[in-house]
């Protein structure tokens, strides 16, 4: 968790600042020194690649986050990162896990369900508002995601691509749950 947050906050901020400075230098050098401008643009491009690579690592650190801090903290982190990357989105998180005791496989499946649901709502549904609710008792845990998007096309399951929901359904069923 700390590693993911440090990557995001510290490294992300530094890399973004480096890119801005390089672009500023490139603009100033445009007419004065084409070689210096090209070098500055190269630094800006490399900074962008580093930022993208870093963002690619953060989700892979999730199992570490779950094992060390639990599902509640992992979902809070996911919601916080989603809010930062989607400033216009209204995203509400309600977690009431009560006496639930989750295996690491169940916690990871619930986390991936939230991740996939949020991603689909934004990418396919153009949602502006989302509610992620996780409720638990001693015997069951449910995760509900509601959004104001346009929903999936009726024939979505026949289309190529859309593997995320199928894989998620398989994973949930293997744990004795259901995706509805």
């Amino acid at each position: 968790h700390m590693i993911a947050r440090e990557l995001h906050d510290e490294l992300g901020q530094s890399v973004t600042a480096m890119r801005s400075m390089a672009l500023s230098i490139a603009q100033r050098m445009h007419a004065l020194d084409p070689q210096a401008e090209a070098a500055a643009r190269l630094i800006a491009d490399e900074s962008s690649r580093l930022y993208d690579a870093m963002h690619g690592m953060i989700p892979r650190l999730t199992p570490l986050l779950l094992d060390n801090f639990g599902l509640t903290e992992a979902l809070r982190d996911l919601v916080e990162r989603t809010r930062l990357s989607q400033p216009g989105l209204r995203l509400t998180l309600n977690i009431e896990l009560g006496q639930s005791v989750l295996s690491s496989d169940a916690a990871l499946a619930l986390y991936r369900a939230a991740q996939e649901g949020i991603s689909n709502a934004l990418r396919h549904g153009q949602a502006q508002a989302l509610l992620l609710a996780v409720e638990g008792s001693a015997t069951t845990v449910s995760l509900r995601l509601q959004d104001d998007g346009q929903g999936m096309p009726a024939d979505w399951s026949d289309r190529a691509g859309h593997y995320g929901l199928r894989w998620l359904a398989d994973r949930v069923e293997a744990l004795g749950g259901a995706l509805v």
Side-chain angles (χ1 to χ4, degrees):
H1 178 60
M2 293 307 291
I3 296 169
R5 189 155 286 171
E6 289 293 316
L7 271 174
H8 186 275
D9 294 348
E10 297 297 325
L11 200 58
Q13 196 172 16
S14 294
V15 170
T16 301
M18 287 181 348
R19 182 175 184 277
S20 293
M21 287 185 277
L23 288 173
S24 175
I25 292 168
Q27 282 178 328
R28 279 187 251 136
M29 290 293 122
H30 181 68
L32 300 172
D33 186 343
Q35 275 186 308
E37 179 194 8
R41 291 205 183 277
L42 197 61
I43 292 168
D45 290 347
E46 207 51 45
S47 298
S48 291
R49 266 195 289 286
L50 179 59
Y51 188 86
D52 291 344
M54 180 199 70
H55 264 264
M57 283 180 216
I58 291 172
R60 292 200 295 275
L61 294 170
T62 300
L64 274 175
L65 171 63
L66 278 167
D67 289 345
N68 290 308
F69 295 94
L71 182 62
T72 299
E73 274 306 303
L75 288 175
R76 283 187 183 138
D77 186 69
L78 173 64
V79 164
E80 189 179 309
R81 282 188 286 114
T82 303
R83 285 179 182 144
L84 285 171
S85 67
Q86 307 285 328
L89 180 69
R90 291 182 316 280
L91 178 50
T92 306
L93 175 64
N94 292 334
I95 302 177
E96 294 290 331
L97 279 172
Q99 301 301 309
S100 302
V101 178
L102 292 168
S103 69
S104 57
D105 285 350
L108 186 57
L110 286 162
Y111 180 87
R112 295 292 187 221
Q115 202 175 32
E116 182 70 18
I118 290 169
S119 174
N120 282 346
L122 297 174
R123 189 171 47 231
H124 303 301
Q126 283 82 52
Q128 303 293 306
L130 281 98
L131 166 65
L132 175 60
V134 183
E135 295 168 358
S137 67
T139 55
T140 61
V141 175
S142 70
L143 182 145
R144 182 171 44 95
L145 184 69
Q146 281 178 244
D147 68 74
D148 65 351
Q150 61 196 30
M152 300 283 272
D155 64 343
W156 73 266
S157 61
D158 301 328
R159 295 184 178 193
H162 299 293
Y163 298 114
L165 286 176
R166 281 192 209 111
W167 291 336
L168 187 57
D170 292 346
R171 184 181 218 159
V172 168
E173 285 164 19
L175 291 164
L179 182 67
V180 291

mmCIF file of all heavy atoms in Angstrom, residues 150-166:
data_model
loop_
_atom_site.group_PDB
_atom_site.id
_atom_site.type_symbol
_atom_site.label_atom_id
_atom_site.label_comp_id
_atom_site.label_asym_id
_atom_site.label_seq_id
_atom_site.Cartn_x
_atom_site.Cartn_y
_atom_site.Cartn_z
ATOM 1 N N GLN A 150 -24.994 4.313 -19.561
ATOM 2 C CA GLN A 150 -25.976 3.806 -20.529
ATOM 3 C C GLN A 150 -26.123 2.287 -20.495
ATOM 4 O O GLN A 150 -26.942 1.735 -21.210
ATOM 5 C CB GLN A 150 -25.595 4.269 -21.940
ATOM 6 C CG GLN A 150 -24.239 3.775 -22.391
ATOM 7 C CD GLN A 150 -23.708 4.538 -23.580
ATOM 8 O OE1 GLN A 150 -24.010 5.710 -23.755
ATOM 9 N NE2 GLN A 150 -22.907 3.889 -24.396
ATOM 10 N N GLY A 151 -25.337 1.602 -19.683
ATOM 11 C CA GLY A 151 -25.460 0.150 -19.586
ATOM 12 C C GLY A 151 -24.785 -0.553 -20.743
ATOM 13 O O GLY A 151 -24.263 0.071 -21.669
ATOM 14 N N MET A 152 -24.803 -1.871 -20.682
ATOM 15 C CA MET A 152 -24.171 -2.692 -21.716
ATOM 16 C C MET A 152 -25.191 -2.970 -22.813
ATOM 17 O O MET A 152 -26.377 -3.108 -22.531
ATOM 18 C CB MET A 152 -23.702 -4.025 -21.113
ATOM 19 C CG MET A 152 -22.683 -3.862 -20.000
ATOM 20 S SD MET A 152 -21.044 -3.496 -20.609
ATOM 21 C CE MET A 152 -20.429 -5.128 -20.853
ATOM 22 N N PRO A 153 -24.730 -3.087 -24.067
ATOM 23 C CA PRO A 153 -25.672 -3.467 -25.124
ATOM 24 C C PRO A 153 -26.242 -4.857 -24.843
ATOM 25 O O PRO A 153 -25.576 -5.686 -24.218
ATOM 26 C CB PRO A 153 -24.813 -3.472 -26.395
ATOM 27 C CG PRO A 153 -23.416 -3.216 -25.979
ATOM 28 C CD PRO A 153 -23.389 -2.870 -24.533
ATOM 29 N N ALA A 154 -27.462 -5.103 -25.302
ATOM 30 C CA ALA A 154 -28.140 -6.368 -25.009
ATOM 31 C C ALA A 154 -27.315 -7.578 -25.463
ATOM 32 O O ALA A 154 -27.340 -8.622 -24.816
ATOM 33 C CB ALA A 154 -29.510 -6.380 -25.678
ATOM 34 N N ASP A 155 -26.579 -7.433 -26.560
ATOM 35 C CA ASP A 155 -25.824 -8.575 -27.097
ATOM 36 C C ASP A 155 -24.357 -8.556 -26.660
ATOM 37 O O ASP A 155 -23.513 -9.160 -27.310
ATOM 38 C CB ASP A 155 -25.918 -8.575 -28.630
ATOM 39 C CG ASP A 155 -25.252 -7.345 -29.244
ATOM 40 O OD1 ASP A 155 -25.009 -6.359 -28.505
ATOM 41 O OD2 ASP A 155 -24.971 -7.379 -30.452
ATOM 42 N N TRP A 156 -24.044 -7.897 -25.529
ATOM 43 C CA TRP A 156 -22.645 -7.728 -25.129
ATOM 44 C C TRP A 156 -21.916 -9.054 -25.003
ATOM 45 O O TRP A 156 -20.755 -9.159 -25.346
ATOM 46 C CB TRP A 156 -22.533 -6.915 -23.829
ATOM 47 C CG TRP A 156 -22.947 -7.661 -22.595
ATOM 48 C CD1 TRP A 156 -24.176 -7.655 -22.018
ATOM 49 C CD2 TRP A 156 -22.134 -8.524 -21.801
ATOM 50 N NE1 TRP A 156 -24.199 -8.456 -20.914
ATOM 51 C CE2 TRP A 156 -22.952 -9.000 -20.755
ATOM 52 C CE3 TRP A 156 -20.807 -8.940 -21.852
ATOM 53 C CZ2 TRP A 156 -22.490 -9.891 -19.777
ATOM 54 C CZ3 TRP A 156 -20.337 -9.814 -20.881
ATOM 55 C CH2 TRP A 156 -21.171 -10.287 -19.864
ATOM 56 N N SER A 157 -22.619 -10.102 -24.520
ATOM 57 C CA SER A 157 -21.920 -11.371 -24.279
ATOM 58 C C SER A 157 -21.568 -12.100 -25.576
ATOM 59 O O SER A 157 -20.733 -12.996 -25.580
ATOM 60 C CB SER A 157 -22.751 -12.279 -23.371
ATOM 61 O OG SER A 157 -23.979 -12.572 -23.982
ATOM 62 N N ASP A 158 -22.201 -11.703 -26.685
ATOM 63 C CA ASP A 158 -21.888 -12.319 -27.988
ATOM 64 C C ASP A 158 -20.736 -11.609 -28.694
ATOM 65 O O ASP A 158 -20.196 -12.119 -29.662
ATOM 66 C CB ASP A 158 -23.118 -12.261 -28.918
ATOM 67 C CG ASP A 158 -24.314 -12.988 -28.328
ATOM 68 O OD1 ASP A 158 -24.097 -13.980 -27.601
ATOM 69 O OD2 ASP A 158 -25.448 -12.542 -28.581
ATOM 70 N N ARG A 159 -20.391 -10.430 -28.221
ATOM 71 C CA ARG A 159 -19.359 -9.633 -28.894
ATOM 72 C C ARG A 159 -17.959 -10.095 -28.510
ATOM 73 O O ARG A 159 -17.732 -10.571 -27.409
ATOM 74 C CB ARG A 159 -19.517 -8.161 -28.532
ATOM 75 C CG ARG A 159 -20.818 -7.565 -29.040
ATOM 76 C CD ARG A 159 -20.869 -6.108 -28.728
ATOM 77 N NE ARG A 159 -22.094 -5.507 -29.259
ATOM 78 C CZ ARG A 159 -22.281 -4.215 -29.336
ATOM 79 N NH1 ARG A 159 -21.358 -3.372 -28.918
ATOM 80 N NH2 ARG A 159 -23.410 -3.736 -29.823
ATOM 81 N N ALA A 160 -17.047 -9.875 -29.431
ATOM 82 C CA ALA A 160 -15.638 -10.180 -29.140
ATOM 83 C C ALA A 160 -15.134 -9.184 -28.097
ATOM 84 O O ALA A 160 -15.651 -8.093 -27.963
ATOM 85 C CB ALA A 160 -14.818 -10.064 -30.422
ATOM 86 N N GLY A 161 -14.129 -9.563 -27.386
ATOM 87 C CA GLY A 161 -13.597 -8.669 -26.350
ATOM 88 C C GLY A 161 -14.164 -9.046 -25.004
ATOM 89 O O GLY A 161 -13.882 -10.089 -24.495
ATOM 90 N N HIS A 162 -14.921 -8.223 -24.378
ATOM 91 C CA HIS A 162 -15.638 -8.397 -23.107
ATOM 92 C C HIS A 162 -15.289 -9.661 -22.296
ATOM 93 O O HIS A 162 -16.166 -10.355 -21.832
ATOM 94 C CB HIS A 162 -17.148 -8.338 -23.341
ATOM 95 C CG HIS A 162 -17.590 -7.034 -23.899
ATOM 96 N ND1 HIS A 162 -17.528 -5.845 -23.191
ATOM 97 C CD2 HIS A 162 -18.052 -6.711 -25.125
ATOM 98 C CE1 HIS A 162 -17.952 -4.861 -23.943
ATOM 99 N NE2 HIS A 162 -18.272 -5.346 -25.132
ATOM 100 N N TYR A 163 -14.012 -9.940 -22.137
ATOM 101 C CA TYR A 163 -13.619 -11.117 -21.359
ATOM 102 C C TYR A 163 -13.643 -10.837 -19.868
ATOM 103 O O TYR A 163 -13.793 -11.748 -19.071
ATOM 104 C CB TYR A 163 -12.210 -11.573 -21.756
ATOM 105 C CG TYR A 163 -12.106 -11.988 -23.192
ATOM 106 C CD1 TYR A 163 -11.337 -11.263 -24.094
ATOM 107 C CD2 TYR A 163 -12.801 -13.101 -23.655
ATOM 108 C CE1 TYR A 163 -11.257 -11.635 -25.419
ATOM 109 C CE2 TYR A 163 -12.734 -13.477 -24.981
ATOM 110 C CZ TYR A 163 -11.959 -12.740 -25.862
ATOM 111 O OH TYR A 163 -11.887 -13.110 -27.171
ATOM 112 N N GLY A 164 -13.473 -9.580 -19.492
ATOM 113 C CA GLY A 164 -13.366 -9.222 -18.081
ATOM 114 C C GLY A 164 -14.514 -9.755 -17.252
ATOM 115 O O GLY A 164 -14.298 -10.383 -16.215
ATOM 116 N N LEU A 165 -15.754 -9.534 -17.710
ATOM 117 C CA LEU A 165 -16.913 -9.996 -16.940
ATOM 118 C C LEU A 165 -17.018 -11.512 -16.930
ATOM 119 O O LEU A 165 -17.389 -12.102 -15.917
ATOM 120 C CB LEU A 165 -18.210 -9.388 -17.502
ATOM 121 C CG LEU A 165 -18.434 -7.910 -17.179
ATOM 122 C CD1 LEU A 165 -19.689 -7.400 -17.878
ATOM 123 C CD2 LEU A 165 -18.532 -7.689 -15.679
ATOM 124 N N ARG A 166 -16.683 -12.161 -18.039
ATOM 125 C CA ARG A 166 -16.726 -13.631 -18.078
ATOM 126 C C ARG A 166 -15.728 -14.222 -17.088
ATOM 127 O O ARG A 166 -16.042 -15.142 -16.344
ATOM 128 C CB ARG A 166 -16.424 -14.131 -19.486
ATOM 129 C CG ARG A 166 -17.614 -14.011 -20.403
ATOM 130 C CD ARG A 166 -17.408 -14.767 -21.708
ATOM 131 N NE ARG A 166 -18.192 -14.071 -22.707
ATOM 132 C CZ ARG A 166 -17.693 -13.373 -23.710
ATOM 133 N NH1 ARG A 166 -16.408 -13.304 -23.899
ATOM 134 N NH2 ARG A 166 -18.486 -12.751 -24.545
#
